[in-house]
Amino acid sequence: MTQTPTQPSNHPASDRPASDHIDAMLHEHRVIEPSDDFRAQARVTREDYERRYRQSLDDPDTFWSGVAGELHWFTPWTQVLDWQPPHAQWFVGGQTNIAFNALDRNVARGLGGKTAIIWEAEDGEVRTYTYAQLLREVKKAANALRDLGVQYGDRVTLYLPLTPEAAIAMLA
């Protein structure tokens, strides 16, 4: 039997009228405050967050300059944003390296023994990497890419499952 839109179906969604938008199924209005202990360890206070949020709207160059200033830059930028619609260039003239900021810098700051990645597989296998271990694996992967002939400026496509090796390869 062919089903028409007005006939009922075993599929629960078919009983609903067609719609051009998605309705929210849950409207949550509770505010769950953090404990005093958690709040005391927070890197950003509520007041600081609100001040920084306001600054991000009122003075975005200063805000983003402050955020980027938390990173190591091999060459400082000369301009935060060059906006020539539809093209945007951020941190013009600056040179940084995200892998260096994520790994080398943390190891140099004495955080090499701290956990950088905790990975758990569906079967329950768990692997952890400290910053120092992760840096060592990234360097090995980078050397392997170099041995394959990959050079600065080359583009490499990765197709990997969500495992630590994917993060290692991307950082390499």
Side-chain angles (χ1 to χ4, degrees):
M1 165 171 113
T2 306
Q3 203 170 23
T4 64
T6 57
Q7 290 178 316
S9 163
N10 291 337
H11 191 279
S14 66
D15 295 336
R16 295 185 206 132
S19 174
D20 290 338
H21 68 280
I22 297 174
D23 291 322
M25 302 303 286
L26 174 66
H27 297 281
E28 181 62 65
H29 299 287
R30 292 178 300 166
V31 174
I32 300 171
E33 295 290 338
S35 70
D36 290 340
D37 289 341
F38 185 87
R39 192 173 284 170
Q41 297 177 39
R43 185 168 177 238
V44 177
T45 65
R46 176 175 293 183
E47 295 76 22
D48 188 42
Y49 169 81
E50 290 171 2
R51 181 189 57 75
R52 292 172 73 176
Y53 172 72
R54 177 63 22 216
Q55 183 185 47
S56 76
L57 299 175
D58 296 341
D59 188 4
D61 280 6
T62 301
F63 172 79
W64 286 112
S65 180
V67 170
E70 295 178 13
L71 300 174
H72 173 80
W73 290 81
F74 297 102
T75 306
W77 65 87
T78 56
Q79 183 180 355
V80 174
L81 174 62
D82 179 14
W83 176 243
Q84 304 293 323
H87 304 286
Q89 213 178 359
W90 286 92
F91 306 107
V92 179
Q95 185 180 16
T96 189
N97 180 303
I98 197 64
F100 177 87
N101 276 284
L103 300 174
D104 304 68
R105 188 172 73 138
N106 284 311
V107 171
R109 289 175 26 200
L111 302 176
K114 291 193 71 87
T115 302
I117 291 180
I118 302 171
W119 177 81
E120 184 172 349
E122 290 180 13
D123 67 2
E125 175 193 0
V126 176
R127 286 193 275 159
T128 61
Y129 291 84
T130 65
Y131 284 103
Q133 291 169 327
L134 192 56
L135 178 59
R136 185 171 34 258
E137 294 301 315
V138 167
K139 286 180 177 183
K140 287 175 16 183
N143 287 332
L145 289 169
R146 188 180 357 246
D147 289 348
L148 290 170
V150 175
Q151 298 176 9
Y152 181 80
D154 287 352
R155 286 162 179 80
V156 176
T157 301
L158 299 173
Y159 184 74
L160 294 167
L162 294 175
T163 61
E165 290 77 15
I168 289 165
M170 285 185 272
L171 288 165

